[in-house]
Amino acid sequence: MLNPVAPPVEPGTFSLATPPLFAALASARSVLIAGAGGGFDVYAGLPLALALWHGGVRVHLANLSFSELELMDRDSWVAEHVAAVTPDSDTPDWYCPEHTLARWLAAHDLPSTVYAFPPLGVQTLRDAYRYLTERLDIDAVVLVDGGTDILLRGDESALGTPVEDITSLAAVAALDIPVKLVTCLGFGIDAYDGVNHVQVLENIAALDRVGGYLGALSIPGASREAMLYRDAVADAQAAIPARPSIVNGQIAAAISGAFGDVQFTRRTNGSSLFVNPLMAMYFTVDLDKLAARCLYLDRIEHTVGRRQVIGRIEAFRNEISPRIPRAFPH
């Protein structure tokens, strides 16, 4: 007769009963959730941050910024390449997602400092991350990508917009932090930049074979996290109407149950969108295992500026024969 009692789960393994993303963060006391690709990427980490805050975890937000951080007042800079953006920060730049998010967080009585890094090379960004993780006593880092192009290893048919994502990946990979994850929200959005998502799925499967895939997790549309996230995205669209986030706008629509060519900004005029439930799912992987699969991470390791990263990625791409893309068969 079969024993109906399931055996205990071994430490370090995952269970269907608990999402692996949260199981991996269960022992963390201080978590840094950072937008890897710049712009509004930090917003894609907001549902996760809200869930962790609700569970009593100390969470800090950061973002690789496209804003003109050099225009901020001197008091905002806590280190050479780290600005602490608060609701009261003096920034004359009309485009500053970090400041918009900080004000929204304060309005909802949530921790309202958003740390911002300027566009950098690997060495300088790593110094910035090292300073911040030590300052905040961080024991878990989650890099967040709006889209999934951070999961590309370099030999795909197109890489989307890899510069900031892969710089962030390389910078954090060398840090001695107990838990390092990458999570992506907005599957399919990078098709606009030529990404073949069959190749994304192929890469996820390869990570799964080496224990690096922590599964996919849907954000329930009626959840508190979803409602607050949609409110934050709407607030940002109202605050920066000339340049709202196309990525987070589609994710917010997907989390609302919208489907198909959902137009919400003039920035997408002439484009046919495909909003769908896959955009409302976190795809999470082990950061170190992802970094180990990147074919050109060593090429950008010793960079100090963004232009160096761009040049070295271009040189790598000129030397390889990309994998042939395949159409999704279903």
Side-chain angles (χ1 to χ4, degrees):
M1 180 176 178
L2 293 177
N3 186 345
V5 179
V9 177
E10 292 293 326
T13 64
F14 298 120
S15 164
L16 183 63
T18 303
L21 169 57
F22 286 93
L25 296 172
S27 63
R29 304 180 316 278
S30 183
V31 178
L32 178 65
I33 298 176
F40 284 91
D41 263 12
V42 65
Y43 275 76
L46 190 55
L48 176 60
L50 290 164
L52 292 173
W53 274 323
H54 189 66
V57 179
R58 190 153 38 104
V59 179
H60 308 273
L61 298 176
N63 199 43
L64 186 57
S65 180
F66 291 156
S67 308
E68 295 186 66
L69 297 178
E70 67 274 11
L71 300 179
M72 296 188 66
D73 59 276
R74 183 183 295 271
D75 292 342
S76 295
W77 292 89
V78 296
E80 182 179 3
H81 295 302
V82 184
V85 183
T86 70
D88 300 322
S89 292
D90 181 15
T91 172
D93 188 2
W94 63 270
Y95 175 83
C96 189
E98 297 83 13
H99 190 222
T100 302
L101 179 56
R103 288 183 295 174
W104 182 88
L105 290 166
H108 289 77
D109 297 320
L110 293 164
S112 57
T113 297
V114 181
Y115 295 94
F117 312 119
L120 301 166
V122 171
Q123 292 292 319
T124 41
L125 184 58
R126 183 176 296 147
D127 288 342
Y129 265 106
R130 182 176 290 112
Y131 170 84
L132 192 58
T133 54
E134 292 176 356
R135 171 190 173 101
L136 301 175
D137 194 24
I138 297 296
D139 53 8
V141 175
V142 183
L143 288 185
V144 181
D145 183 24
T148 55
D149 54 357
I150 196 172
L151 302 179
L152 302 179
R153 68 177 197 166
D155 63 348
E156 293 80 7
S157 55
L159 299 186
T161 54
V163 176
E164 285 75 25
D165 289 331
I166 301 302
T167 301
S168 298
L169 177 65
V172 175
L175 297 181
D176 185 16
I177 305 291
V179 178
K180 293 179 287 185
L181 305 175
V182 170
T183 195
C184 302
L185 187 63
F187 184 93
I189 285 174
D190 297 312
Y192 177 82
D193 293 306
V195 171
N196 178 270
H197 285 80
V198 172
Q199 293 180 328
V200 173
L201 293 172
E202 184 180 5
N203 291 353
I204 291 174
L207 283 164
D208 199 12
R209 290 195 295 272
V210 297
Y213 178 45
L214 279 69
L217 176 64
S218 292
I219 300 172
S223 65
R224 172 181 175 272
E225 293 83 2
M227 290 185 284
L228 287 171
Y229 168 73
R230 289 193 295 263
D231 185 77
V233 172
D235 174 77
Q237 290 175 341
I240 313 176
R243 197 176 167 188
S245 173
I246 295 173
V247 170
N248 284 281
Q250 291 181 79
I251 295 169
I255 292 175
S256 300
F259 185 84
D261 190 12
V262 181
Q263 298 287 335
F264 53 88
T265 171
R266 287 177 295 178
R267 292 186 67 199
T268 59
N269 283 354
S271 299
S272 180
L273 304 181
F274 183 52
V275 172
N276 66 85
L278 290 175
M279 292 180 176
M281 300 172 68
Y282 278 123
F283 289 81
T284 305
V285 302
D286 179 275
L287 187 147
D288 288 336
K289 287 183 169 60
L290 177 65
R293 281 183 45 81
C294 182
L295 299 175
Y296 60 92
L297 214 65
D298 60 327
R299 303 286 190 98
I300 67 171
E301 170 61 26
H302 299 291
T303 56
V304 295
R306 183 177 183 271
R307 289 185 180 275
Q308 287 178 296
V309 177
I310 294 172
R312 296 184 187 187
I313 294 176
E314 290 176 347
F316 167 79
R317 291 288 288 179
N318 288 334
E319 297 172 11
I320 68 164
S321 298
R323 283 149 54 191
I324 297 173
R326 296 169 53 196
F328 196 72
H330 301 292

